[in-house]
Amino acid sequence: MITTVVYEDVREAAACVRRGGVCAFPTETVFGLAVDAYDRRATARLFEAKGRPSDNPLIVHLADKAAWHTVARAMTTSAERLLDAFSPGPITVVLPKLGRIADAVTGGLDTVGVRIPANVRAREFLAHIDRPVAAPSANLSGKPSCTTWQAVLEDMDGRIDGILVGEPSSIGLESTVVDCTGDEPILLRRGSVSLEQLREVVPNMQVLSTSQTGAETSVNSPGLRHPHYRPEARVVLVSAIENGERVDLESVVGEPLAAKIVFLGMHRPSELSGFGYCQVFGTVDGFAAGFYEALRQADRENAACIVIESVQDASVGAALHDRQCRAAGLR
Ligand code: TXA
Ligand code: MG
């Protein structure tokens, strides 16, 4: 067991990383778990703390785009355009890796994901560290990501050296990841920067299809092969409903309704008696921002099943729908 220090002061949290520590920090997408990307030992401790499979590469975070050459061998045209348009912000571009970045950081790949967060506290933290920072989402591997520092403490207390406190993440879903190493950029993971927005900047953007074979997926984005965002409770997806519509819970859940059921969606079903409770979000953005915390809250309340109303929407809804499907084990 390690003692996990809760830091209010950005400089103290940065010093923790500079001396080889593992320290959580807030970003606008989800909280991250920071280590010095040049430090092999710290990187190994990070994988251990998260219980993360070693073939799942980490994103390297920078305070400033100008520092890209400290992590990558080359800047490609598509990456440059995407960073100019959406960075600092919720986008990660995959570039050819610089040798100095530990192989363990990138799961042995010759490429590296690079992101410059927009969150002010995150940027101060990165600026004080003054080195590239490898950081996955700050949850135990396989669990929903953390959008509050308290959620990080639940998963990571005694496993990491520190947590920098900060406001809850405003977006609530991980960054959009784009492979920019080839002739045509490929969208690897959906995020709040939508495919439509990406194509306005880079029209030849391709999409890594979820129906592609395991072998292809593993080459492009190893992280997508592992289970993700899974709460303890069973998750069932239902299609979109109208306000006041009756949802036949017994057939949806497939078991007698004595157990506690939580409904998460954008509309209120009529039949609330069988639910433990029902959480209705007013907007897709609000649903995205509150989604992981809602999954975690259902677990805190020992819900047996979480019924989720599917969201289908062109923008952030597409990313939210992807996470809903993964939480339900459908991808
Ligand atoms: O918003 C985010 O991206 C958050 C915050 C903390 O920045 N980070 C995050 O990290 O979500 P993580 O480790 O949970 O997810 C990283 C994703 C995985 O799907 C991984 O496969 C992909 O990025 N990735 C990272 N480096 C890659 C690379 N070199 N090639 C392909 N995919 C890569
Ligand atoms: Mg993650």
Side-chain angles (χ1 to χ4, degrees):
M1 273 286 270
I2 315 167
T3 304
T4 303
V5 181
V6 175
Y7 293 108
E8 291 279 349
D9 187 314
V10 183
R11 285 168 193 273
E12 286 178 23
C16 169
V17 174
R18 286 184 64 92
R19 53 175 188 265
V22 181
C23 185
F25 68 109
T27 89
E28 70 278 17
T29 57
V30 298
F31 278 66
L33 269 189
V35 294
D36 176 346
Y38 295 148
D39 184 334
R40 284 174 169 69
R41 195 174 150 266
T43 304
R45 287 183 65 223
L46 168 62
F47 274 87
E48 164 94 29
K50 248 188 90 90
R52 183 177 178 107
S54 61
D55 65 352
N56 191 356
L58 307 177
I59 294 169
V60 178
H61 296 66
L62 302 172
D64 205 300
K65 181 187 144 194
W68 68 265
H69 56 86
T70 61
V71 298
R73 288 197 305 276
M75 175 59 74
T76 63
T77 312
S78 57
E80 180 115 58
R81 285 199 186 136
L82 293 171
L83 290 178
D84 284 345
F86 304 113
S87 200
I91 190 151
T92 296
V93 294
V94 173
L95 291 168
K97 179 177 93 83
L98 199 71
R100 193 169 167 202
I101 298 291
D103 279 340
V105 166
T106 61
L109 294 177
D110 191 33
T111 59
V112 60
V114 181
R115 170 160 126 79
I116 300 107
N119 178 291
V120 173
R121 222 161 143 74
R123 299 192 73 194
E124 282 171 11
F125 175 65
L126 294 170
H128 284 303
I129 296 170
D130 198 25
R131 276 171 219 165
V133 165
S137 53
N139 50 284
L140 283 174
S141 191
K143 292 284 154 215
S145 303
C146 297
T147 52
T148 67
W149 69 264
Q150 294 91 339
V152 177
L153 198 60
E154 274 173 2
D155 270 19
M156 292 294 165
D157 194 14
R159 306 179 71 93
I160 58 175
D161 302 295
I163 298 180
L164 174 61
V165 303
E167 294 293 308
S169 301
S170 56
I171 294 173
L173 299 178
E174 304 79 0
S175 62
T176 303
V177 180
V178 182
D179 180 351
C180 295
T181 56
D183 291 339
E184 295 191 314
I186 306 169
L187 172 59
L188 298 181
R189 180 177 72 181
R190 287 178 188 266
S192 65
V193 178
S194 68
L195 180 59
E196 294 69 29
Q197 289 173 303
L198 295 170
R199 283 192 171 146
E200 277 172 25
V201 178
V202 184
N204 62 341
M205 179 73 55
Q206 305 298 304
V207 179
L208 182 72
S209 142
T210 44
S211 60
Q212 275 179 319
T213 65
E216 280 168 288
T217 303
S218 68
V219 169
N220 286 307
S221 193
L224 299 180
R225 273 182 306 144
H226 301 289
H228 266 91
Y229 323 119
R230 306 291 303 272
E232 297 297 324
R234 198 154 63 84
V235 174
V236 180
L237 276 194
V238 294
S239 47
I241 61 164
E242 305 281 333
N243 268 326
E245 188 174 326
R246 202 179 165 284
V247 177
D248 183 355
L249 270 187
E250 210 139 7
S251 65
V252 164
V253 175
E255 59 189 59
L257 296 178
K260 187 169 198 171
I261 313 292
V262 170
F263 182 90
L264 305 178
M266 298 198 48
H267 305 92
R268 186 171 291 275
S270 68
E271 204 69 10
L272 284 174
S273 56
F275 296 102
Y277 61 88
C278 172
Q279 192 171 348
V280 178
F281 298 91
T283 61
V284 178
D285 285 344
F287 200 170
F291 182 62
Y292 291 136
E293 186 55 22
L295 297 180
R296 288 178 166 270
Q297 187 57 27
D299 275 351
R300 287 178 202 122
E301 307 208 17
N302 290 316
C305 184
I306 307 172
V307 179
I308 299 178
E309 182 189 2
S310 290
V311 162
Q312 250 135 355
D313 183 84
S315 60
V316 70
L320 176 56
H321 188 248
D322 170 73
R323 307 310 193 269
Q324 292 182 325
C325 291
R326 290 181 197 277
L330 299 178
R331 284 184 184 164

